Structures are given as structure tokens and as C-alpha cells.
């Protein structure tokens, strides 16, 4: 079982030819509401990639919350740990341009009420084969969950987004950190992905820097270094590419795939996702990933 302790948001997605600059108004050509949030996205990605997944988080008592619960359950995610709290669910306002680029504003809503893992959450974490964390919940809650996973001997995967300072007690509990190149630079203060990778490995045991169309760079304290090229595709919407990568990577590692195979598996899943619109709606199934891998 892979446990995901994280956010659930309703994505409010506006599609435009070109994203507006500060103070500029542009006309969009389409709008959609799509269940998302980095935690929920990773849970759905892992479930579709063949993992047994439990989601631990919160939604509000509004229509968005009900829809997000239903979407997770339909994807095969165990939602017994998805609590409902009074008030609005979290939302993310996303602008997607015609080149597939995006900008995102997140309003935490129910996610902001999580001060730490509950007793049921702690049990789900302790019994997991992997724990996936992101930074869309309050930092004390993320730290407490990471420490619980670490104490239980569970591999802890951290997606350090949105980028922010990371407390030492969090990094000490993380097994694998998976930033993109901008987040890696923000965390380490080092420009250049090779240098940033080495700096990350002074903080955690294992790191994967995702590089978009340039693939991914992997390193571990054991000395292993790998660069995996991306699958070349025409991107439609890159919103959930990173979350798809992490969800698929966690499944591959839980299945004890060799590192190179696991990275190819995750990169292929991410490449399939960017060819479709939306976050949770774009994530590929296990069969699609395996077919693409050949």
C-alpha cells in the first residue's frame, strides 16, 4: 500500500492563447473544473499506474469536496482517510496557454485545517510500502507525517512544491526528494542541475530532479548517477506531469524495479500525461504505460 498524505483541490482551469501579464486582461477560449491538488494527483497517478493507494487528507463540505472524493474513489484510491471539514475545499486557479505552459494560484481551503496526521493516518503511514508528501499542507503536518514514516521504516518521497524553505527535521526524515530544476535551485542555492543534485545529496539519501523535456537526473549517496531522457511528445498541458512522474515512480520502486527501469517507467507515464488536458484526467493507466514502453 502506498500512502499519500497531501492536498486535494478543485482545479479551475482557464485555457488561453497567451497567459496575461500583470495588469493585462486576455480572453480565454475554454474553462474546465477538474479535481486535482498535488496529493490527490499523485494518489490517482499511482493508482492508475498499478499501485494500491490510500489517500490521507481533507476536503470541505461543499460540492467540490464531494466531487473530489468521488474522483479518487473511481480511480481506485482508498478514501477512508479523506476527512470532511466545515467550509470550502481547496482550489487551484490554473492558466494554460496554447504551448502547454501553465501558471497556478492555490487557495488551501480545507487543506489548511490539517495540523498533523490523525491516529488513523499514522496507522496507514506505518503500514505503507511508501509515503508520498508534498508542500500544499501546513508544514508542521508534513514534518510530522515524514517523521512518522521515517520512524516506521517507510520510504518517504517528498515533492518540494510549492518551493519554500525546508526545515532540517523534514529533510532528516526524507528518503527521496523529487524537485524540478527550479525547485532544486531554490532549495540548494546552486544553479546547474548537476551541482544542485550533489547539494541535494548532502541533505537526503536519494534525489531525482525532473527536467521536463530534458528528462530526469538521478543520484544517490551510494554514488549512483543516472540521466534518463524524456520521451519526445507534443505537449498539450503540463499541469500534472510532475505528479504523474512521482506517482508512477513510487509504484515502480515499491515493486522493486531497478532504478533505471523505474525512472523510464515514471518518465513514460509523465510523457503520456502531457498529451492530455487536465490534471487527474490526464494520467495514464498501467497498460498504457507498458504499451508505450514496448
Amino acid at each position: 500500500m502506498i500512502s499519500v498524505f497531501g492536498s486535494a483541490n478543485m482545479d479551475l482551469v482557464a485555457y488561453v492563447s497567451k497567459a496575461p501579464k500583470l495588469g493585462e486582461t486576455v480572453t480565454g477560449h475554454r474553462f474546465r473544473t477538474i479535481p486535482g491538488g498535488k496529493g490527490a494527483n499523485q494518489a490517482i497517478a499511482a493508482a492508475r499506474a498499478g499501485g494500491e493507494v490510500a489517500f490521507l487528507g481533507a476536503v470541505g463540505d461543499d460540492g467540490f469536496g464531494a466531487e473530489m472524493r468521488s474522483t479518487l474513489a473511481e480511480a481506485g484510491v482508498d478514501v477512508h482517510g479523506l476527512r470532511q471539514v466545515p467550509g470550502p475545499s481547496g482550489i487551484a486557479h490554473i492558466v494554460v496557454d496554447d504551448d502547454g505552459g501553465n501558471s497556478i494560484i492555490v487557495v488551501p481551503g480545507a487543506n489548511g485545517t490539517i495540523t498533523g496526521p490523525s491516529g488513523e493516518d499514522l496507522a496507514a503511514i506505518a503500514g505503507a510500502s511508501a509515503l508520498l508528501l508534498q508542500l500544499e499542507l501546513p508544514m508542521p503536518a508534513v514534518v510530522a507525517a515524514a517523521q512518522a514514516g521515517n520512524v516506521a521504516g517507510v520510504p518517504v518521497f517528498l515533492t518540494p512544491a510549492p518551493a519554500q524553505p525546508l526545515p532540517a527535521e523534514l529533510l532528516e526524515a526524507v528518503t527521496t526528494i523529487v524537485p524540478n530544476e527550479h525547485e532544486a535551485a531554490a532549495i540548494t542555492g546552486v544553479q546547474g542541475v548537476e551541482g544542485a543534485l550533489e547539494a541535494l545529496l548532502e541533505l537526503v539519501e536519494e534525489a531525482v530532479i525532473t527536467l521536463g523535456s530534458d528528462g530526469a537526473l538521478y543520484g544517490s549517496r551510494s554514488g549512483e548517477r543516472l540521466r534518463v531522457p524524456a520521451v519526445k511528445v507534443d505537449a498539450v498541458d503540463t499541469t500534472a506531469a510532475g505528479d504523474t512522474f512521482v506517482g508512477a515512480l513510487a509504484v515502480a520502486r515499491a515493486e522493486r524495479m531497478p532504478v533505471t527501469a523505474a525512472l523510464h517507467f515514471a518518465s513514460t507515464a509523465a510523457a503520456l500525461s502531457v498529451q492530455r488536458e487536465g490534471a487527474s484526467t490526464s494520467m495514464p493507466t498501467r497498460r498504457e504505460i507498458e504499451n508505450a514502453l514496448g
Side-chain angles (χ1 to χ4, degrees):
M1 174 73 75
I2 294 170
S3 289
V4 182
F5 183 75
S7 59
N9 295 321
M10 183 60 73
D11 292 345
L12 312 178
V13 189
Y15 296 90
V16 298
S17 297
K18 186 177 180 181
K21 299 176 182 178
L22 185 65
E24 180 183 14
T25 300
V26 300
T27 299
H29 47 73
R30 199 152 51 90
F31 174 79
R32 297 178 68 189
T33 58
I34 305 170
K38 296 193 74 62
N41 287 346
Q42 292 183 6
I44 291 171
R48 289 189 176 161
E52 185 181 355
V53 183
F55 182 69
L56 314 172
V59 292
D61 56 2
D62 54 7
F64 286 164
E67 185 174 350
M68 286 186 284
R69 181 181 297 276
S70 176
T71 298
L72 283 158
E74 288 172 3
V77 177
D78 183 335
V79 293
H80 286 94
L82 178 58
R83 66 193 80 167
Q84 184 184 84
V85 300
S89 298
I91 66 99
H93 181 273
I94 303 174
V95 176
V96 180
D97 65 30
D98 284 350
D99 293 326
N102 66 78
S103 58
I104 305 173
I105 300 171
V106 175
V107 181
N111 299 303
T113 69
I114 300 178
T115 57
S118 67
E120 291 182 357
D121 293 340
L122 292 173
I125 290 169
S129 57
L131 171 64
L132 305 190
L133 301 171
Q134 319 78 35
L135 300 180
E136 289 183 343
L137 297 183
M139 184 62 78
V142 177
V143 171
Q147 291 175 329
N150 180 258
V151 168
V154 176
V156 177
F157 291 74
L158 174 67
T159 302
Q164 56 189 282
L166 302 179
E169 59 266 33
L170 174 60
L171 291 167
E172 289 168 0
V174 169
T175 309
T176 305
I177 194 167
V178 192
N180 62 29
E181 56 188 311
H182 306 295
E183 292 154 358
I187 293 166
T188 64
V190 176
Q191 299 298 318
V193 293
E194 286 83 3
L197 180 69
E198 299 307 320
L200 286 171
L201 292 174
E202 295 179 6
L203 304 173
V204 297
E205 295 177 18
E206 186 176 59
V208 184
I209 302 177
T210 58
L211 305 172
S213 60
D214 290 327
L217 185 65
Y218 168 88
S220 70
R221 284 182 174 173
S222 66
E224 193 168 11
R225 303 290 184 271
L226 295 168
R227 182 182 284 269
V228 175
V231 180
K232 299 303 180 183
V233 297
D234 293 324
V236 172
D237 182 355
T238 61
T239 302
D243 294 331
T244 302
F245 182 96
V246 173
L249 178 65
V251 171
R253 297 304 298 276
E255 294 179 2
R256 302 188 183 280
M257 286 188 196
V259 172
T260 301
L263 292 169
H264 280 293
F265 184 85
S267 294
T268 300
L272 290 170
S273 77
V274 303
Q275 297 176 74
R276 304 167 181 167
E277 293 178 348
S280 61
T281 53
S282 72
M283 294 162 177
T285 64
R286 179 66 173 247
R287 178 172 293 182
E288 288 173 324
I289 297 168
E290 290 178 341
N291 287 344
L293 283 167

